[in-house]
């Protein structure tokens, strides 16, 4: 097996890696501090498209994790970057929150419900029957279907919540049209993140707590991958997958000395 080059840049998932149910994972503060002290290029990634990078910066800051706004990359930002590259200055009907609408506005998109180029589905806690019906009709009329991420459920203190992937399935069932998912495990999310910090996959690592999104996305993008066991995936789950991370560690604390 070819020996990998030293790691110079780091991408890490947020929930389940740096924090868990709003509480920082032990070692997360030391990891971020080490990255900033060494000047290593890094990004904190999330498939959640609800929040802007500024929102997430404030959220992390409140629990003692100092992550600059420019070091946060969301599926909403990746979706806006993708659309700006594919179809600059387009129009879109959006189901989502400020994280997604702000990213699209910043990319020069006009949001409309009148003959849009795209229907874009993101995360929201207020999916409405009226909005879903509008999206279905617009897709049937020719709008192209984009979704920020394929996650079927998201966490909450009360239990699982339906997420973008589940709602996308409903729209697909009604229209017969599959969306293009931009977020993890699509390696496009990773490559757009790497481009943002001027990094190369051969010398970059991805840290995550999910085999089916974080590890798979890093693997397909050609990166070194670390699975931490502080989130959704357990050691017992590993044999369910036909691929492996480069390394499995108990938590982010075990990676600090590798920076």
């Amino acid at each position: 097996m070819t020996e990998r080059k030293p790691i110079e840049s780091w991408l890490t998932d947020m929930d389940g890696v740096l924090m868990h149910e709003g509480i920082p994972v032990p070692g997360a503060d030391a990891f971020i501090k080490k990255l900033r002290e060494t000047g290593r290029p890094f990004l904190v990634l999330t498939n959640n498209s609800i929040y802007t990078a500024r929102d997430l910066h404030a959220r992390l800051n409140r629990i003692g994790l100092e992550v600059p706004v420019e070091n946060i990359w969301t599926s909403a930002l990746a979706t806006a970057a993708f659309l700006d590259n594919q179809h600059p200055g387009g129009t879109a009907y959006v189901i989502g929150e400020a994280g997604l609408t702000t990213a699209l506005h910043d990319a020069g998109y006009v949001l409309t419900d009148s003959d849009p180029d795209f229907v874009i589905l993101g995360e929201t806690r207020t999916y409405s029957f009226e909005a879903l019906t509008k999206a279905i009709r617009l897709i049937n009329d020719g709008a192209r279907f984009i979704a920020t991420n394929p996650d079927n459920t998201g966490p909450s203190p009360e239990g699982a919540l339906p997420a973008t992937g589940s709602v996308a399935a409903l729209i697909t069932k009604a229209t017969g049209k599959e969306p293009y998912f931009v977020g993890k495990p699509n390696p496009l999310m990773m490559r757009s993140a790497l481009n943002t910090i001027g990094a190369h996959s051969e010398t970059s690592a991805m840290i995550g707590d999910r085999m089916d999104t974080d590890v798979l996305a890093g693997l397909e993008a050609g990166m070194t991958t670390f699975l931490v066991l502080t989130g959704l995936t357990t050691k017992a789950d590993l044999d369910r997958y036909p691929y492996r991370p480069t390394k499995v560690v108990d938590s982010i604390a075990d990676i600090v000395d590798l920076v």
Side-chain angles (χ1 to χ4, degrees):
M1 187 173 180
T2 305
E3 185 175 345
R4 292 196 63 92
K5 296 179 180 178
I7 298 168
E8 298 175 359
S9 307
W10 294 84
L11 304 183
T12 177
D13 188 39
M14 186 171 68
D15 293 303
V17 179
L18 300 179
M19 59 189 288
H20 185 69
E21 294 183 355
I23 299 171
V25 171
D29 55 345
F31 178 71
I32 296 297
K33 185 178 179 182
K34 186 78 172 291
L35 286 170
R36 298 189 70 185
E37 287 176 348
T38 58
R40 297 288 192 192
F42 77 96
L43 282 179
V44 173
L45 274 65
T46 178
N47 257 2
N48 191 318
S49 65
I50 289 179
Y51 305 105
T52 66
R54 288 180 62 191
D55 295 333
L56 294 174
H57 161 76
R59 182 182 174 196
L60 291 166
N61 190 59
R62 280 196 298 271
I63 62 171
L65 299 179
E66 294 284 346
V67 181
V69 172
E70 59 268 23
N71 293 103
I72 296 172
W73 191 246
T74 71
S75 64
L77 292 170
T79 298
F82 167 74
L83 289 170
D84 185 44
N85 177 266
Q86 290 276 307
H87 191 96
T91 59
Y93 177 71
V94 178
I95 298 177
E97 302 285 347
L100 181 56
T101 57
T102 300
L104 290 166
H105 276 305
D106 289 346
Y109 259 63
V110 173
L111 307 189
T112 179
D113 62 0
S114 177
D115 193 27
D117 299 314
F118 298 93
V119 166
I120 306 175
L121 175 68
E123 213 76 67
T124 176
R125 296 291 179 261
T126 57
Y127 290 112
S128 76
F129 184 78
E130 181 181 359
L132 294 174
T133 301
K134 171 67 74 172
I136 288 165
R137 290 173 179 169
L138 290 171
I139 291 169
N140 282 336
D141 288 341
R144 286 156 285 181
F145 187 16
I146 302 286
T148 57
N149 64 290
D151 300 59
N152 290 320
T153 60
S156 80
E158 294 78 28
L161 294 170
T164 305
S166 297
V167 180
L170 182 155
I171 294 174
T172 295
K173 195 72 173 177
T175 62
K177 301 288 178 60
E178 296 276 352
Y180 181 72
F181 290 107
V182 175
K184 299 175 293 182
N186 188 343
L188 179 72
M189 171 95 168
M190 315 303 284
R191 295 192 183 281
S192 62
L194 291 171
N195 289 339
T196 298
I197 56 173
H200 194 284
S201 59
E202 287 186 346
T203 54
S204 299
M206 174 65 196
I207 309 166
D209 70 311
R210 293 185 61 154
M211 287 289 288
D212 57 347
T213 55
D214 304 320
V215 171
L216 181 58
L219 175 72
E220 291 188 346
M223 303 167 67
T224 298
T225 54
F226 291 87
L227 176 73
V228 298
L229 301 176
T230 49
L232 290 176
T233 304
T234 67
K235 275 189 177 178
D237 295 328
L238 288 173
D239 286 340
R240 294 172 40 215
Y241 298 92
Y243 50 88
R244 288 287 183 272
T246 308
K247 190 171 184 179
V248 179
V249 296
D250 289 330
S251 77
I252 192 74
D254 299 307
I255 302 177
V256 175
D257 289 341
L258 300 178
V259 176

